[in-house]
Amino acid sequence: MASPILKFPYLSHATFLTKPLAFYTPSLTPKPRKTSRPIHVKQQQKRSSKCHAVTDLTSNTAPSSIEDQSRGEDTDDHLVLVGPSSEEERRGEREVADYDWTEEWYPLYLTKDVPDDAPLGLTVFDKQVVLYKDGQGELRCFEDRCPHRLAKLSEGQLIDGRLECLYHGWQFEGEGNCVKIPQLPANAKIPQSACVRTYEVRESQGVVWVWMSSKSQPNINKLPWFENFARPGFKDSSAVHELPYDHSILLENLMDPAHIPISHDRTDLSAKRENAQPLRFEVTERTDGGFAGWWGGGDAQTLPNFLRFEAPCVLSNNREFIDEKGVKQYFSGLFLCRPTGQGKSMLIVRFGGTTRPQIANWIPEWFFHQRGCTVFEQDMGFLSSQNEVLMKEKVPTKKLYLNLRSSDTWVAEYRKWMDKVGHGMPYHFGHNTISLPELPAVVEHAPAGLVAGASSSFPAKGGTGKIHAPNMANRYFRHVIHCKGCSSALKAFNVWKKALSAISLGLTALAILVSGRQWKAALLVSASLCLAGVYTCSTLIKMSTTNFIRTHRRF
């Protein structure tokens, strides 16, 4: 993921990945980790089968074209480029695992940010769902489609704990049954087919998860559980970000520590381009459900960071260390990446630890969220264009990427995992294989007109008026509307700006009317202070609604 964020209220993503705990604690001793251990490859014989790569668009055999030779496959470039990870891959074979993308738990939203008084429209791949709280505060999830005339239920409202479609007023209770149709005669019964499809949801460790399969019962054993987040004293900062590129590109970015010193140069004190260096990686586990391993700086004696990817879209980066008091502390960066359609994704990012500096308690969380937005925006141009190229070229990433052993090991592992399970996804871009979307991406236009503009002004509908009409390139739409804390802060800044403007105007008028010189001076000074407050509020509002614009440093 590269990237982004102050994923912890007091520690940026860049800091965690490049100097993981440099200013997190004054002295630490990372847990020693030897760098020579056998790879543990879990083979699930009942779920996997070997097949010759007859359907692969590329193989690992000797180069047969000038293009292949130019990419270094017939030279010493294999010493620096990521190569085959198994004998099967070297022979041109690949492992295919039984996989169905619907039989997984997907992260929908942070529990704390689910609206209490409005439905929330969300997507998983191309499936549109609506999440809401019923009259008892229980989370419910339906297909986002009214059975009457296909209107989006997420555009509706909650009436006495029931979800009402705003097209004709049909109301549905928590199990998906229709309980009211205003147009139905008094003596008529509601048709049994007037019901909506429901999805099973679970809340776990502050995150709402949805089971997408309608063919199988939810597998509770598959529900992710994060040990560090359950440790005594563990505190985390969490945020939701909507992003304009595919979830696979987002995951690539998040598991790529090498880009941080360059792309996020000077975003904080630890990310500096002169600190870019080769990294070392050690894969310790490969399964049908993902991979894991250790990584660290190229000159490090130990590999202190442990990365794990778990299907379908969970990435964690953990580190243990001993503080100055001899107590073991734990730090985790957790990234939950939900596919929301072609070229779109939603990320729940959580950074936490069992200890943190006191200054973190004094800094408001919205400030760190906005800094996080800046980090994502620094990568947005690169990742959006990468998404476009993948869709345009229509070839596996092996034909397009030059993955270095010293920077891109996790990226190669992820794309090779997609080779194994991609056939069970709506579409995928693997290392050697590819399956394109069957249907072109749906372009959702922003509301237009006076009525639609007024409708979009409500926070649950995606904006605060036509200035913030739904647009994923806008910071407000990508993050603020998904975050109760940042939304409340923005509203407060607007209120204070208006109040201070009015007070300043009143004080200036009084200064003109009074005759005493001292009174004039006092009133004008007070008016100036109010104007300074107006400027501060304007700056903070701009921070919440304006994207980062990259300006190149001059050396």
Side-chain angles (χ1 to χ4, degrees):
M1 352 170 304
S3 97
I5 327 186
L6 271 174
K7 306 196 161 169
F8 206 19
Y10 49 93
L11 191 62
S12 73
H13 179 61
T15 301
F16 176 59
L17 293 180
T18 57
K19 290 188 178 179
L21 295 164
F23 61 87
Y24 182 74
T25 184
S27 66
L28 57 89
T29 303
K31 181 179 180 180
R33 186 61 54 175
K34 295 180 181 180
T35 60
S36 58
R37 66 171 59 73
I39 294 179
H40 177 50
V41 182
K42 295 182 179 179
Q43 299 289 354
Q44 301 183 15
Q45 299 296 339
K46 294 183 179 181
R47 290 175 52 81
S48 303
S49 60
K50 301 286 185 179
C51 67
H52 193 271
V54 293
T55 59
D56 290 0
L57 299 187
T58 184
S59 69
N60 288 287
T61 56
S64 58
S65 67
I66 296 177
E67 177 188 0
D68 289 337
Q69 295 181 29
S70 68
R71 292 181 60 81
E73 298 201 13
D74 198 30
T75 69
D76 289 340
D77 285 2
H78 70 278
L79 299 176
V80 296
L81 298 178
V82 175
S85 55
S86 66
E87 285 301 319
E88 290 84 354
E89 184 182 356
R90 196 180 304 277
R91 293 195 299 267
E93 300 175 353
R94 67 184 177 94
E95 185 179 358
V96 178
D98 293 332
Y99 189 78
D100 182 346
W101 74 270
T102 66
E103 296 183 351
E104 300 280 7
W105 291 97
Y106 289 84
L108 275 184
Y109 224 60
L110 285 171
T111 307
K112 66 178 182 179
D113 289 327
V114 177
D116 296 316
D117 56 355
L120 181 65
L122 300 167
T123 355
V124 181
F125 277 115
D126 59 344
K127 303 296 183 182
Q128 296 180 333
V129 301
V130 55
L131 180 70
Y132 75 97
K133 292 181 180 180
D134 65 15
Q136 288 70 46
E138 292 188 26
L139 292 166
R140 303 288 186 174
C141 187
F142 298 161
E143 183 178 24
D144 195 7
R145 188 170 72 182
C146 180
H148 179 211
R149 298 259 293 279
L150 309 183
K152 277 192 173 185
L153 292 174
S154 58
E155 292 294 325
Q157 60 185 346
L158 298 181
I159 304 292
D160 298 327
R162 299 188 297 269
L163 180 55
E164 180 183 83
C165 175
L166 270 180
Y167 197 9
H168 293 89
W170 289 29
Q171 293 183 5
F172 304 89
E173 51 82 40
E175 299 301 323
N177 298 315
C178 184
V179 293
K180 182 178 180 180
I181 299 179
Q183 298 81 12
L184 204 64
N187 58 348
K189 292 185 177 180
I190 296 176
Q192 292 184 356
S193 56
C195 58
V196 293
R197 176 183 175 183
T198 62
Y199 291 94
E200 192 73 24
V201 289
R202 290 283 191 278
E203 193 277 337
S204 177
Q205 295 182 297
V207 177
V208 181
W209 301 82
V210 62
W211 180 262
M212 293 303 297
S213 177
S214 59
K215 298 180 294 184
S216 62
Q217 291 296 315
N219 186 344
I220 300 301
N221 294 327
K222 277 191 170 186
L223 189 65
W225 177 262
F226 309 104
E227 183 179 359
N228 281 355
F229 284 76
R231 295 185 185 279
F234 192 95
K235 295 181 180 179
D236 77 290
S237 175
S238 307
V240 175
H241 296 266
E242 199 165 4
L243 299 164
Y245 38 83
D246 190 73
H247 81 288
S248 66
I249 292 176
L250 172 61
L251 278 164
E252 264 191 12
N253 180 244
L254 294 169
M255 60 179 66
D256 171 22
H259 83 285
I260 292 170
I262 306 297
S263 182
H264 307 303
D265 181 27
R266 267 65 180 184
T267 300
D268 69 6
L269 297 178
S270 67
K272 299 177 182 178
R273 63 182 301 110
E274 54 267 29
N275 291 336
Q277 60 176 305
L279 303 173
R280 287 192 297 133
F281 304 85
E282 182 183 351
V283 182
T284 58
E285 183 179 321
R286 294 187 182 100
T287 73
D288 293 349
F291 58 88
W294 297 85
W295 68 273
D299 56 354
Q301 297 299 315
T302 61
L303 301 179
N305 306 295
F306 186 74
L307 179 141
R308 178 179 293 278
F309 167 73
E310 296 180 81
C313 48
V314 175
L315 182 70
S316 61
N317 209 347
N318 301 304
R319 185 168 184 174
E320 302 173 8
F321 64 93
I322 306 299
D323 66 15
E324 66 276 9
K325 298 179 181 179
V327 179
K328 181 182 287 189
Q329 304 291 354
Y330 301 87
F331 184 86
S332 290
L334 178 62
F335 312 104
L336 310 177
C337 312
R338 173 164 49 85
T340 59
Q342 298 175 45
K344 297 183 292 183
S345 56
M346 180 172 281
L347 170 68
I348 297 175
V349 58
R350 309 185 70 181
F351 260 53
T354 51
T355 183
R356 67 190 211 170
Q358 288 297 321
I359 191 174
N361 299 320
W362 297 92
I363 301 176
E365 190 161 344
W366 62 261
F367 174 80
F368 293 104
H369 285 190
Q370 298 308 317
R371 291 290 292 166
C373 289
T374 296
V375 182
F376 278 113
E377 288 155 9
Q378 289 172 335
D379 284 342
M380 193 172 298
F382 311 140
L383 304 184
S384 296
S385 61
Q386 181 183 351
N387 198 121
E388 293 174 3
V389 172
L390 283 176
M391 293 299 296
K392 178 181 178 181
E393 295 293 337
K394 298 180 175 60
V395 297
T397 58
K398 184 182 178 182
K399 286 287 187 180
L400 300 172
Y401 290 5
L402 285 174
N403 288 324
L404 300 180
R405 295 177 184 268
S406 54
S407 65
D408 308 308
T409 294
W410 300 139
V411 172
E413 287 291 330
Y414 174 61
R415 293 299 178 179
K416 290 178 182 181
W417 172 80
M418 276 203 162
D419 286 339
K420 190 190 301 186
V421 303
H423 62 88
M425 297 180 179
Y427 60 90
H428 83 282
F429 293 89
H431 182 68
N432 287 310
T433 61
I434 180 177
S435 62
L436 297 173
E438 294 183 2
L439 299 174
V442 176
V443 178
E444 297 180 359
H445 297 284
L450 181 62
V451 175
S455 173
S456 70
S457 68
F458 294 98
K461 304 302 180 188
T464 58
K466 61 182 180 181
I467 295 177
H468 304 296
N471 175 7
M472 235 190 294
N474 181 282
R475 177 180 294 194
Y476 178 88
F477 183 64
R478 288 197 327 274
H479 169 70
V480 176
I481 64 168
H482 298 294
C483 178
K484 287 184 178 180
C486 290
S487 295
S488 299
L490 181 59
K491 290 177 183 178
F493 297 148
N494 275 303
V495 170
W496 276 104
K497 178 182 176 181
K498 293 176 181 178
L500 291 173
S501 297
I503 293 172
S504 175
L505 184 61
L507 291 173
T508 302
L510 284 175
I512 295 173
L513 295 175
V514 300
S515 56
R517 184 173 297 179
Q518 290 182 339
W519 279 106
K520 283 182 179 291
L523 290 169
L524 289 175
V525 168
S526 298
S528 298
L529 292 174
C530 288
L531 288 175
V534 171
Y535 176 79
T536 301
C537 289
S538 298
T539 301
L540 295 173
I541 292 170
K542 184 178 180 181
M543 181 189 296
S544 299
T545 56
T546 304
N547 285 4
F548 165 84
I549 299 177
R550 187 181 297 277
T551 55
H552 295 286
R553 295 174 59 243
R554 296 184 182 277
F555 297 91

